[in-house]
Amino acid sequence: MMKLSVLTILSLMSILSQPPLSHSIRCNPQDKQVLLKIKQAFNNAYHFASWNPDTDCCYWYIVKCDRKTNRIIDLNVITANISGPIPDAVADLPFLESLTFHKIANLTGTLPRALTKLTHLKSLTISWTNISGPIPSYVSQFKNLTSLDLSFNDLSGPIPASLAQLRGLTGLMLDRNKLTGSIPESFGELPASLQYLDLSHNQLSGSIPKGWGGLNFTTLQLQRNRIEGDASALFGRNKSIQNADLSRNMLEFDLSKVEFPDSLRYLDLNHNRIFGALPAGLAGDTLTFLNVSYNRLCGRIPAGGVLQQMDYSSYFHNKCLCGAPLPDCKSSLQ
Ligand SMILES: *[C@@H]1O[C@H](CO)[C@@H](O)[C@H](O)[C@H]1NC(C)=O
Ligand SMILES: *[C@@H]1O[C@H](CO)[C@@H](O)[C@H](O)[C@H]1NC(C)=O
Ligand SMILES: *[C@@H]1O[C@H](CO)[C@@H](O)[C@H](O)[C@H]1NC(C)=O
Ligand SMILES: *[C@@H]1O[C@H](CO)[C@@H](O)[C@H](O)[C@H]1NC(C)=O
Ligand SMILES: *[C@@H]1O[C@H](CO)[C@@H](O)[C@H](O)[C@H]1NC(C)=O
Ligand SMILES: *[C@@H]1O[C@H](CO)[C@@H](O)[C@H](O)[C@H]1NC(C)=O
Ligand SMILES: *[C@@H]1O[C@H](CO)[C@@H](O)[C@H](O)[C@H]1NC(C)=O
Protein backbone atom coordinates (compact mmCIF):
# COMPACT_ATOMS: atom_id res chain seq x y z
CA MET A 1 0.00 0.00 0.00
CA MET A 2 2.68 2.40 1.17
CA LYS A 3 4.96 1.26 -1.63
CA LEU A 4 2.25 1.68 -4.21
CA SER A 5 1.41 5.24 -3.25
CA VAL A 6 5.06 6.23 -3.23
CA LEU A 7 5.38 4.74 -6.67
CA THR A 8 2.26 6.50 -7.82
CA ILE A 9 3.54 9.78 -6.52
CA LEU A 10 6.93 9.19 -8.10
CA SER A 11 5.47 8.33 -11.46
CA LEU A 12 3.12 11.30 -11.24
CA MET A 13 6.07 13.54 -10.45
CA SER A 14 8.08 12.16 -13.32
CA ILE A 15 5.19 12.78 -15.72
CA LEU A 16 4.83 16.33 -14.47
CA SER A 17 8.52 17.14 -14.66
CA GLN A 18 9.00 15.63 -18.10
CA PRO A 19 9.44 17.83 -21.10
CA PRO A 20 6.32 17.97 -23.27
CA LEU A 21 5.36 14.56 -24.70
CA SER A 22 6.89 13.66 -28.01
CA HIS A 23 3.82 14.56 -30.04
CA SER A 24 3.93 18.10 -28.64
CA ILE A 25 7.63 18.73 -29.31
CA ARG A 26 7.76 21.97 -31.26
CA CYS A 27 11.37 21.93 -32.38
CA ASN A 28 11.94 21.35 -36.07
CA PRO A 29 14.36 18.38 -36.34
CA GLN A 30 16.42 20.02 -39.09
CA ASP A 31 16.83 23.20 -37.06
CA LYS A 32 17.90 21.08 -34.08
CA GLN A 33 20.60 19.35 -36.10
CA VAL A 34 21.89 22.72 -37.33
CA LEU A 35 21.96 24.20 -33.81
CA LEU A 36 23.92 21.19 -32.57
CA LYS A 37 26.38 21.74 -35.41
CA ILE A 38 26.82 25.35 -34.32
CA LYS A 39 27.38 24.23 -30.74
CA GLN A 40 29.98 21.76 -31.95
CA ALA A 41 31.70 24.39 -34.11
CA PHE A 42 32.22 26.37 -30.89
CA ASN A 43 33.67 23.31 -29.13
CA ASN A 44 30.50 22.68 -27.12
CA ALA A 45 31.27 25.82 -25.12
CA TYR A 46 29.50 26.34 -21.81
CA HIS A 47 27.43 29.12 -23.38
CA PHE A 48 25.40 26.42 -25.17
CA ALA A 49 24.95 24.21 -22.09
CA SER A 50 21.15 24.34 -22.36
CA TRP A 51 21.31 22.99 -25.91
CA ASN A 52 20.68 19.42 -24.78
CA PRO A 53 19.84 17.13 -27.73
CA ASP A 54 17.27 15.27 -25.56
CA THR A 55 15.11 18.37 -25.12
CA ASP A 56 12.90 20.53 -27.32
CA CYS A 57 15.12 23.12 -29.04
CA CYS A 58 12.33 25.71 -28.88
CA TYR A 59 13.07 25.86 -25.14
CA TRP A 60 16.85 26.25 -25.46
CA TYR A 61 18.47 29.47 -24.32
CA ILE A 62 19.40 32.21 -26.82
CA VAL A 63 17.16 30.89 -29.59
CA LYS A 64 13.53 31.57 -30.37
CA CYS A 65 10.99 29.58 -32.40
CA ASP A 66 8.18 31.13 -34.40
CA ARG A 67 4.85 30.64 -32.59
CA LYS A 68 3.11 29.17 -35.62
CA THR A 69 5.76 27.46 -37.73
CA ASN A 70 8.03 26.49 -34.81
CA ARG A 71 11.05 27.27 -36.97
CA ILE A 72 14.04 29.01 -35.37
CA ILE A 73 13.72 32.74 -36.06
CA ASP A 74 16.15 34.23 -33.57
CA LEU A 75 19.75 33.39 -32.57
CA ASN A 76 21.20 35.76 -30.03
CA VAL A 77 24.79 35.10 -28.88
CA ILE A 78 25.92 37.78 -26.43
CA THR A 79 29.01 38.06 -24.17
CA ALA A 80 29.98 34.48 -24.78
CA ASN A 81 33.38 32.97 -24.09
CA ILE A 82 33.54 31.29 -27.47
CA SER A 83 36.18 31.48 -30.14
CA GLY A 84 36.66 30.91 -33.84
CA PRO A 85 34.82 32.07 -36.94
CA ILE A 86 31.06 32.31 -37.46
CA PRO A 87 30.14 28.78 -38.54
CA ASP A 88 28.58 28.38 -41.99
CA ALA A 89 25.93 26.24 -40.30
CA VAL A 90 24.28 29.45 -39.05
CA ALA A 91 23.11 30.00 -42.62
CA ASP A 92 21.24 26.68 -42.53
CA LEU A 93 18.58 28.12 -40.22
CA PRO A 94 16.51 29.19 -43.23
CA PHE A 95 13.83 31.10 -41.31
CA LEU A 96 16.16 33.19 -39.18
CA GLU A 97 14.91 36.78 -38.86
CA SER A 98 17.34 38.04 -36.27
CA LEU A 99 21.00 37.07 -35.87
CA THR A 100 23.24 38.55 -33.18
CA PHE A 101 26.84 37.99 -32.18
CA HIS A 102 27.73 40.72 -29.67
CA LYS A 103 30.70 41.22 -27.32
CA ILE A 104 32.69 38.16 -28.30
CA ALA A 105 36.35 39.16 -28.39
CA ASN A 106 37.49 35.82 -29.79
CA LEU A 107 35.03 35.73 -32.68
CA THR A 108 37.33 35.99 -35.70
CA GLY A 109 37.44 35.45 -39.45
CA THR A 110 35.37 37.22 -42.07
CA LEU A 111 31.62 37.48 -42.62
CA PRO A 112 30.74 34.11 -44.19
CA ARG A 113 29.23 34.28 -47.65
CA ALA A 114 26.87 31.47 -46.69
CA LEU A 115 24.85 34.03 -44.70
CA THR A 116 23.23 35.21 -47.96
CA LYS A 117 20.99 32.16 -47.67
CA LEU A 118 19.21 33.94 -44.82
CA THR A 119 16.68 35.75 -46.99
CA HIS A 120 14.24 36.38 -44.11
CA LEU A 121 16.78 38.31 -42.05
CA LYS A 122 15.40 41.56 -40.60
CA SER A 123 18.13 42.29 -38.08
CA LEU A 124 21.83 41.48 -38.34
CA THR A 125 24.12 42.43 -35.47
CA ILE A 126 27.76 41.44 -35.37
CA SER A 127 29.36 43.92 -33.00
CA TRP A 128 32.20 44.13 -30.48
CA THR A 129 33.97 41.14 -32.03
CA ASN A 130 37.24 40.61 -33.88
CA ILE A 131 35.58 39.88 -37.22
CA SER A 132 37.82 41.33 -39.95
CA GLY A 133 38.04 41.78 -43.71
CA PRO A 134 35.73 43.89 -45.85
CA ILE A 135 32.01 44.49 -45.49
CA PRO A 136 30.86 42.20 -48.30
CA SER A 137 28.65 43.84 -50.92
CA TYR A 138 26.33 40.82 -50.71
CA VAL A 139 24.98 42.25 -47.46
CA SER A 140 22.67 44.18 -49.80
CA GLN A 141 20.92 40.88 -50.61
CA PHE A 142 19.17 40.92 -47.24
CA LYS A 143 16.26 42.80 -48.76
CA ASN A 144 14.14 42.71 -45.59
CA LEU A 145 16.83 44.07 -43.30
CA THR A 146 15.67 46.89 -41.04
CA SER A 147 18.74 47.01 -38.81
CA LEU A 148 22.37 46.37 -39.72
CA ASP A 149 24.86 46.73 -36.89
CA LEU A 150 28.48 45.86 -37.71
CA SER A 151 29.98 48.29 -35.21
CA PHE A 152 33.12 47.80 -33.12
CA ASN A 153 34.80 45.11 -35.16
CA ASP A 154 38.00 45.00 -37.17
CA LEU A 155 36.38 45.52 -40.58
CA SER A 156 38.37 47.35 -43.25
CA GLY A 157 38.08 48.54 -46.83
CA PRO A 158 35.35 50.72 -48.32
CA ILE A 159 31.65 50.90 -47.47
CA PRO A 160 29.86 48.98 -50.27
CA ALA A 161 27.72 51.31 -52.37
CA SER A 162 25.13 48.53 -52.60
CA LEU A 163 24.10 49.02 -48.94
CA ALA A 164 21.87 51.83 -50.20
CA GLN A 165 19.73 49.13 -51.86
CA LEU A 166 18.45 48.07 -48.44
CA ARG A 167 15.19 50.00 -48.72
CA GLY A 168 13.71 49.07 -45.33
CA LEU A 169 16.65 50.12 -43.14
CA THR A 170 15.88 52.19 -40.09
CA GLY A 171 19.32 51.86 -38.48
CA LEU A 172 22.81 51.40 -39.95
CA MET A 173 25.76 51.17 -37.61
CA LEU A 174 29.22 50.69 -39.10
CA ASP A 175 31.12 52.69 -36.47
CA ARG A 176 34.44 51.80 -34.85
CA ASN A 177 36.01 49.78 -37.59
CA LYS A 178 38.84 50.62 -39.98
CA LEU A 179 36.72 51.58 -42.95
CA THR A 180 38.37 53.73 -45.61
CA GLY A 181 37.39 55.60 -48.76
CA SER A 182 34.52 58.03 -49.02
CA ILE A 183 30.88 57.65 -48.06
CA PRO A 184 29.41 56.16 -51.28
CA GLU A 185 27.50 58.61 -53.49
CA SER A 186 24.67 56.04 -53.46
CA PHE A 187 24.18 56.95 -49.78
CA GLY A 188 22.66 60.18 -51.06
CA GLU A 189 19.62 58.04 -51.81
CA LEU A 190 19.34 56.07 -48.61
CA PRO A 191 15.73 55.15 -47.82
CA ALA A 192 13.64 57.81 -46.10
CA SER A 193 13.06 55.22 -43.32
CA LEU A 194 16.70 55.49 -42.19
CA GLN A 195 16.66 57.33 -38.88
CA TYR A 196 19.92 56.33 -37.31
CA LEU A 197 23.26 56.35 -39.12
CA ASP A 198 26.56 55.83 -37.33
CA LEU A 199 29.77 55.81 -39.38
CA SER A 200 31.92 57.29 -36.61
CA HIS A 201 35.44 56.22 -35.61
CA ASN A 202 36.62 55.03 -39.00
CA GLN A 203 39.05 56.47 -41.54
CA LEU A 204 36.47 57.78 -43.99
CA SER A 205 37.44 60.66 -46.25
CA GLY A 206 35.86 62.67 -49.05
CA SER A 207 32.79 64.81 -48.72
CA ILE A 208 29.23 64.34 -47.53
CA PRO A 209 27.01 62.81 -50.27
CA LYS A 210 25.08 65.45 -52.20
CA GLY A 211 21.74 63.73 -51.64
CA TRP A 212 21.92 64.08 -47.85
CA GLY A 213 20.31 67.49 -48.12
CA GLY A 214 17.03 65.70 -48.86
CA LEU A 215 17.28 63.07 -46.11
CA ASN A 216 15.83 63.24 -42.62
CA PHE A 217 18.11 61.54 -40.16
CA THR A 218 17.18 61.62 -36.50
CA THR A 219 20.70 60.73 -35.42
CA LEU A 220 23.84 61.14 -37.49
CA GLN A 221 27.23 60.17 -36.07
CA LEU A 222 30.22 60.89 -38.26
CA GLN A 223 32.77 61.86 -35.63
CA ARG A 224 36.41 60.86 -35.87
CA ASN A 225 36.83 60.47 -39.59
CA ARG A 226 38.51 62.64 -42.22
CA ILE A 227 35.40 63.97 -43.91
CA GLU A 228 35.84 67.34 -45.59
CA GLY A 229 33.80 70.08 -47.19
CA ASP A 230 30.33 71.42 -46.52
CA ALA A 231 27.89 69.85 -44.05
CA SER A 232 25.34 72.67 -44.01
CA ALA A 233 22.89 70.73 -46.21
CA LEU A 234 22.25 68.40 -43.27
CA PHE A 235 20.47 71.22 -41.51
CA GLY A 236 17.65 73.51 -42.52
CA ARG A 237 14.32 74.61 -41.09
CA ASN A 238 12.35 71.59 -42.29
CA LYS A 239 14.74 68.84 -41.20
CA SER A 240 14.07 66.40 -38.36
CA ILE A 241 17.63 65.90 -37.14
CA GLN A 242 17.92 65.62 -33.37
CA ASN A 243 21.48 64.48 -32.71
CA ALA A 244 24.43 65.30 -34.90
CA ASP A 245 28.01 64.53 -33.99
CA LEU A 246 30.33 65.65 -36.78
CA SER A 247 33.31 66.30 -34.52
CA ARG A 248 36.94 65.57 -35.41
CA ASN A 249 36.70 65.75 -39.16
CA MET A 250 37.93 68.29 -41.72
CA LEU A 251 34.60 69.98 -42.45
CA GLU A 252 34.89 73.51 -43.78
CA PHE A 253 31.87 75.76 -44.25
CA ASP A 254 30.29 79.01 -43.14
CA LEU A 255 28.09 78.42 -40.08
CA SER A 256 26.57 81.92 -40.18
CA LYS A 257 23.94 81.06 -42.77
CA VAL A 258 22.93 77.64 -41.46
CA GLU A 259 19.37 77.36 -40.23
CA PHE A 260 18.90 74.83 -37.45
CA PRO A 261 15.60 72.96 -37.08
CA ASP A 262 13.65 73.06 -33.81
CA SER A 263 14.14 69.29 -33.54
CA LEU A 264 17.90 69.68 -32.88
CA ARG A 265 18.91 68.59 -29.36
CA TYR A 266 22.60 67.72 -29.60
CA LEU A 267 25.20 69.27 -31.87
CA ASP A 268 28.91 68.53 -31.68
CA LEU A 269 31.11 70.14 -34.32
CA ASN A 270 34.40 70.29 -32.42
CA HIS A 271 37.74 69.93 -34.25
CA ASN A 272 36.81 70.96 -37.79
CA ARG A 273 37.56 74.01 -39.94
CA ILE A 274 34.18 75.67 -39.65
CA PHE A 275 34.16 79.46 -40.02
CA GLY A 276 31.74 82.36 -39.76
CA ALA A 277 29.64 83.17 -36.68
CA LEU A 278 27.21 81.22 -34.51
CA PRO A 279 23.72 81.85 -35.94
CA ALA A 280 21.08 83.25 -33.57
CA GLY A 281 18.93 80.18 -34.31
CA LEU A 282 21.15 78.10 -32.00
CA ALA A 283 19.81 80.05 -29.02
CA GLY A 284 16.41 78.32 -29.29
CA ASP A 285 14.71 76.38 -26.49
CA THR A 286 15.24 72.85 -27.72
CA LEU A 287 19.03 72.54 -27.98
CA THR A 288 20.51 70.88 -24.89
CA PHE A 289 24.15 70.40 -25.94
CA LEU A 290 26.55 72.29 -28.16
CA ASN A 291 30.28 71.99 -28.76
CA VAL A 292 31.91 74.07 -31.48
CA SER A 293 35.41 74.18 -29.98
CA TYR A 294 38.55 73.94 -32.14
CA ASN A 295 37.15 75.58 -35.26
CA ARG A 296 37.67 78.99 -36.94
CA LEU A 297 34.53 80.71 -35.71
CA CYS A 298 34.30 84.38 -34.89
CA GLY A 299 31.88 86.87 -33.39
CA ARG A 300 29.55 87.11 -30.43
CA ILE A 301 27.95 83.99 -28.96
CA PRO A 302 24.19 84.63 -29.28
CA ALA A 303 22.35 84.95 -25.95
CA GLY A 304 19.63 82.50 -25.00
CA GLY A 305 18.69 78.86 -24.79
CA VAL A 306 21.45 76.64 -23.51
CA LEU A 307 24.28 78.68 -25.04
CA GLN A 308 25.36 80.50 -21.88
CA GLN A 309 24.91 77.39 -19.75
CA MET A 310 27.47 75.46 -21.75
CA ASP A 311 31.00 75.30 -20.37
CA TYR A 312 33.60 77.63 -21.97
CA SER A 313 35.20 74.46 -23.38
CA SER A 314 32.28 74.22 -25.81
CA TYR A 315 33.65 77.36 -27.50
CA PHE A 316 37.39 77.56 -26.85
CA HIS A 317 40.07 77.34 -29.55
CA ASN A 318 38.25 79.36 -32.18
CA LYS A 319 39.44 82.38 -34.13
CA CYS A 320 37.60 85.13 -32.29
CA LEU A 321 34.40 83.94 -30.58
CA CYS A 322 33.47 86.19 -27.66
CA GLY A 323 30.78 86.91 -25.12
CA ALA A 324 29.49 84.70 -22.28
CA PRO A 325 30.66 82.14 -21.34
CA LEU A 326 33.84 83.38 -23.08
CA PRO A 327 35.30 86.82 -22.20
CA ASP A 328 33.41 89.92 -23.37
CA CYS A 329 33.67 91.05 -26.94
CA LYS A 330 36.27 93.83 -27.05
CA SER A 331 35.55 95.95 -30.04
CA SER A 332 32.71 97.17 -32.18
CA LEU A 333 33.86 94.57 -34.72
CA GLN A 334 31.64 92.03 -33.04
C1 LIG B 1 39.98 34.46 -25.73
O1 LIG B 1 40.95 33.48 -26.03
C2 LIG B 1 42.04 33.46 -25.14
C3 LIG B 1 43.06 32.45 -25.59
O2 LIG B 1 42.92 32.08 -26.89
C4 LIG B 1 41.54 33.11 -23.76
O3 LIG B 1 42.61 33.17 -22.84
C5 LIG B 1 40.48 34.11 -23.33
O4 LIG B 1 39.91 33.71 -22.11
C6 LIG B 1 39.39 34.24 -24.34
N1 LIG B 1 38.57 35.38 -23.92
C7 LIG B 1 37.25 35.38 -23.99
C8 LIG B 1 36.52 36.55 -23.42
O5 LIG B 1 36.66 34.45 -24.50
C1 LIG C 1 37.13 30.91 -21.75
O1 LIG C 1 37.11 29.52 -21.96
C2 LIG C 1 38.40 28.92 -21.89
C3 LIG C 1 38.24 27.46 -22.19
O2 LIG C 1 37.50 27.25 -23.33
C4 LIG C 1 38.97 29.14 -20.52
O3 LIG C 1 40.28 28.60 -20.50
C5 LIG C 1 39.01 30.60 -20.21
O4 LIG C 1 39.43 30.79 -18.88
C6 LIG C 1 37.65 31.23 -20.38
N1 LIG C 1 37.77 32.67 -20.23
C7 LIG C 1 36.90 33.39 -19.53
C8 LIG C 1 37.12 34.85 -19.49
O5 LIG C 1 35.95 32.89 -18.96
C1 LIG D 1 40.03 41.84 -30.30
O1 LIG D 1 41.07 41.05 -29.76
C2 LIG D 1 42.00 41.75 -28.96
C3 LIG D 1 43.05 40.81 -28.47
O2 LIG D 1 43.29 39.79 -29.37
C4 LIG D 1 41.28 42.36 -27.78
O3 LIG D 1 42.19 43.15 -27.03
C5 LIG D 1 40.14 43.25 -28.28
O4 LIG D 1 39.41 43.71 -27.16
C6 LIG D 1 39.23 42.47 -29.18
N1 LIG D 1 38.23 43.37 -29.72
C7 LIG D 1 36.95 43.34 -29.34
C8 LIG D 1 36.03 44.35 -29.95
O5 LIG D 1 36.54 42.54 -28.55
C1 LIG E 1 9.90 40.46 -46.40
O1 LIG E 1 8.96 41.23 -45.67
C2 LIG E 1 7.67 41.25 -46.24
C3 LIG E 1 6.82 42.21 -45.42
O2 LIG E 1 6.98 41.98 -44.06
C4 LIG E 1 7.10 39.85 -46.25
O3 LIG E 1 5.83 39.85 -46.85
C5 LIG E 1 8.04 38.94 -47.03
O4 LIG E 1 7.58 37.63 -46.96
C6 LIG E 1 9.43 39.02 -46.47
N1 LIG E 1 10.33 38.27 -47.30
C7 LIG E 1 11.10 37.36 -46.79
C8 LIG E 1 11.99 36.65 -47.75
O5 LIG E 1 11.10 37.13 -45.61
C1 LIG F 1 12.25 71.24 -47.38
O1 LIG F 1 12.88 70.03 -47.80
C2 LIG F 1 12.71 69.71 -49.17
C3 LIG F 1 13.43 68.43 -49.45
O2 LIG F 1 13.17 67.47 -48.48
C4 LIG F 1 13.23 70.82 -50.05
O3 LIG F 1 12.98 70.50 -51.39
C5 LIG F 1 12.55 72.11 -49.68
O4 LIG F 1 13.12 73.17 -50.42
C6 LIG F 1 12.72 72.40 -48.20
N1 LIG F 1 12.00 73.59 -47.84
C7 LIG F 1 12.56 74.59 -47.18
C8 LIG F 1 11.69 75.73 -46.85
O5 LIG F 1 13.73 74.56 -46.83
C1 LIG G 1 11.85 65.27 -44.42
O1 LIG G 1 10.92 65.83 -43.51
C2 LIG G 1 10.20 66.93 -44.08
C3 LIG G 1 9.34 67.51 -42.98
O2 LIG G 1 8.79 66.53 -42.16
C4 LIG G 1 9.40 66.43 -45.26
O3 LIG G 1 8.76 67.51 -45.84
C5 LIG G 1 10.33 65.78 -46.26
O4 LIG G 1 9.58 65.22 -47.32
C6 LIG G 1 11.14 64.68 -45.62
N1 LIG G 1 12.09 64.13 -46.57
C7 LIG G 1 12.28 62.82 -46.71
C8 LIG G 1 13.29 62.41 -47.71
O5 LIG G 1 11.67 62.01 -46.07
C1 LIG H 1 34.19 70.17 -26.32
O1 LIG H 1 35.12 69.46 -27.12
C2 LIG H 1 36.46 69.65 -26.70
C3 LIG H 1 37.35 68.92 -27.69
O2 LIG H 1 37.05 67.56 -27.73
C4 LIG H 1 36.63 69.11 -25.29
O3 LIG H 1 37.95 69.33 -24.85
C5 LIG H 1 35.66 69.83 -24.37
O4 LIG H 1 35.75 69.25 -23.08
C6 LIG H 1 34.25 69.69 -24.89
N1 LIG H 1 33.38 70.48 -24.04
C7 LIG H 1 32.18 70.05 -23.68
C8 LIG H 1 31.37 70.91 -22.80
O5 LIG H 1 31.74 68.97 -24.06
Side-chain angles (χ1 to χ4, degrees):
M1 181 69 179
M2 188 65 183
K3 247 182 184 170
L4 195 73
S5 63
V6 166
L7 267 179
T8 312
I9 289 166
L10 278 178
S11 62
L12 247 178
M13 277 171 62
S14 82
I15 284 168
L16 288 174
S17 65
Q18 249 176 21
L21 295 171
S22 59
H23 69 261
S24 67
I25 282 186
R26 295 174 53 202
C27 177
N28 176 283
Q30 273 164 283
D31 286 351
K32 181 186 243 177
Q33 286 316 309
V34 172
L35 290 172
L36 291 171
K37 257 194 224 167
I38 295 169
K39 176 177 177 173
Q40 197 179 30
F42 288 122
N43 284 317
N44 300 316
Y46 176 74
H47 201 76
F48 304 99
S50 77
W51 292 14
N52 173 354
D54 298 332
T55 59
D56 186 342
C57 74
C58 287
Y59 297 93
W60 292 356
Y61 288 168
I62 71 172
V63 293
K64 205 168 114 190
C65 287
D66 182 77
R67 277 167 186 277
K68 288 190 193 127
T69 64
N70 290 333
R71 301 302 300 251
I72 297 285
I73 53 169
D74 200 335
L75 173 59
N76 196 17
V77 190
I78 292 182
T79 45
N81 180 8
I82 55 177
S83 54
I86 296 174
D88 277 356
V90 168
D92 294 326
L93 295 168
F95 293 91
L96 215 53
E97 291 176 8
S98 174
L99 175 61
T100 300
F101 286 97
H102 176 66
K103 286 211 171 174
I104 306 170
N106 289 344
L107 192 73
T108 53
T110 56
L111 284 167
R113 185 169 195 108
L115 290 184
T116 48
K117 287 194 264 176
L118 299 174
T119 53
H120 293 276
L121 219 50
K122 290 180 185 154
S123 168
L124 177 60
T125 299
I126 298 171
S127 61
W128 294 69
T129 78
N130 265 305
I131 289 283
S132 59
I135 298 176
S137 58
Y138 64 67
V139 169
S140 63
Q141 291 177 27
F142 302 121
K143 292 292 178 216
N144 270 9
L145 219 52
T146 58
S147 171
L148 177 60
D149 183 355
L150 298 176
S151 60
F152 233 118
N153 294 302
D154 210 15
L155 298 167
S156 55
I159 298 175
S162 60
L163 288 188
Q165 293 165 18
L166 296 168
R167 301 316 289 172
L169 274 189
T170 59
L172 177 59
M173 288 70 80
L174 304 178
D175 51 297
R176 293 176 197 261
N177 281 289
K178 293 174 182 153
L179 302 175
T180 50
S182 51
I183 301 169
E185 245 349 281
S186 65
F187 271 39
E189 276 118 52
L190 286 169
S193 56
L194 193 77
Q195 302 270 296
Y196 191 104
L197 180 62
D198 194 341
L199 304 177
S200 67
H201 296 256
N202 278 295
Q203 294 153 25
L204 300 171
S205 54
S207 51
I208 279 172
K210 287 184 196 76
W212 277 10
L215 288 172
N216 289 325
F217 302 111
T218 306
T219 296
L220 179 62
Q221 311 256 48
L222 295 180
Q223 69 270 25
R224 292 186 192 253
N225 279 291
R226 294 170 198 152
I227 298 163
E228 54 191 37
D230 193 352
S232 56
L234 293 170
F235 307 101
R237 278 252 65 90
N238 70 2
K239 290 297 171 56
S240 50
I241 196 151
Q242 290 174 14
N243 308 295
D245 192 342
L246 311 180
S247 65
R248 294 184 191 256
N249 277 291
M250 295 166 5
L251 296 166
E252 192 165 3
F253 59 96
D254 185 351
L255 200 61
S256 322
K257 298 183 192 87
V258 177
E259 276 196 288
F260 291 98
D262 290 339
S263 55
L264 193 64
R265 303 278 181 279
Y266 183 104
L267 180 62
D268 197 342
L269 299 174
N270 86 70
H271 280 97
N272 279 288
R273 296 167 184 173
I274 300 166
F275 56 92
L278 292 180
L282 281 175
D285 293 335
T286 49
L287 195 70
T288 59
F289 179 88
L290 178 72
N291 194 337
V292 295
S293 64
Y294 293 91
N295 276 292
R296 295 171 186 171
L297 296 163
C298 208
R300 185 184 294 279
I301 297 168
V306 79
L307 297 191
Q308 276 64 46
Q309 289 157 37
M310 296 308 302
D311 192 82
Y312 79 102
S313 70
S314 279
Y315 304 102
F316 67 175
H317 292 278
N318 271 289
K319 201 166 136 208
C320 45
L321 276 182
C322 60
L326 294 181
D328 282 348
C329 299
K330 286 193 199 86
S331 68
S332 55
L333 272 177
Q334 290 125 0

